[in-house]
Amino acid sequence: MHQASADAHDAARWIAASHDAIGRPYALVDKKHARLLVFAADGRLAGSTPALLGLAPGDHALPGTGSKPLSQITFEERTTPAGRFASEPGRNLSGEHVVWFDYEAGLAIHRLRPGRSEAARLRSLVTATPADNRASLGCVVVPVAFYESVVEPLLGRGRGVVYVLPQTQPVEAFIAAQQLAAQ
């Protein structure tokens, strides 16, 4: 976890100590460092990778975004919202395997898709800085090999939990909000 932010380290310690993932595999999206960390149900880190996140900064999804055609989603709506999400595997409209974490908003963890933006997105994933990893409509996009070897085996076969850390509030406030919601 050396490439993850201090916030991600704090959140991972809290998740493990509180057993908040209720014995399920889980993922931690570190928006500040544009990384996805995936943990087995026992809390063991299974892998970490750079990730592409929503193009627009922010921690909230705007209502109705998930029901819009892609061409009508505005820049401001292209966020990766912060929160604790129950995840489950599924298929997108193209039949591609994904891990849904906010189905209503159309948000999932998925592999880098082939297409005209693939080369540019791949370059963003391999740069040393997270500054250019803002490139998705809000989904968490990871390299194909990581998806197939880590995400799909752990989160793609049953229910899990996805924690998306905020970028606009302290992680302590995020953790406190999760603790209140659990009561």
Side-chain angles (χ1 to χ4, degrees):
M1 280 192 24
H2 67 281
Q3 294 176 326
S5 69
D7 286 353
H9 286 273
D10 291 345
R13 279 191 292 276
W14 168 74
I15 294 164
S18 69
H19 304 286
D20 188 74
I22 55 174
R24 294 184 174 156
Y26 58 96
L28 187 58
V29 180
D30 180 358
K31 291 193 333 182
K32 290 180 180 176
H33 283 209
R35 293 195 71 77
L36 176 70
L37 297 88
V38 178
F39 296 83
D42 65 4
R44 176 185 45 82
L45 178 66
S48 172
T49 188
L52 300 179
L53 305 171
L55 189 60
D59 290 325
H60 303 286
L62 297 174
T65 301
S67 60
K68 288 183 174 183
L70 296 180
S71 62
Q72 292 180 8
I73 298 174
T74 65
F75 173 81
E76 296 79 21
E77 294 172 314
R78 297 175 183 212
T79 62
T80 303
R84 180 193 188 277
F85 302 91
S87 70
E88 79 177 77
R91 302 259 172 209
N92 65 13
L93 293 174
S94 301
E96 172 191 25
H97 188 277
V98 300
V99 174
W100 295 108
F101 65 90
D102 189 343
Y103 186 81
E104 285 187 24
L107 298 174
I109 300 171
H110 63 79
R111 68 192 94 212
L112 182 64
R113 295 183 177 122
R116 61 185 170 89
S117 64
E118 180 182 18
R121 287 177 163 211
L122 189 55
R123 280 192 301 277
S124 294
L125 282 170
V126 298
T127 61
T129 174
D132 60 354
N133 287 42
R134 295 293 194 164
S136 82
L137 294 175
C139 288
V140 177
V141 182
V142 297
V144 172
F146 186 84
Y147 189 89
E148 291 175 350
S149 65
V150 179
V151 174
E152 193 167 356
L154 288 171
L155 297 167
R157 299 209 169 110
R159 294 184 182 269
V161 181
V162 174
Y163 299 88
V164 181
L165 298 181
Q167 65 189 79
T168 60
Q169 68 176 350
V171 76
E172 296 81 13
F174 173 82
I175 291 170
Q178 302 314 307
Q179 290 171 325
L180 282 175
Q183 295 177 356

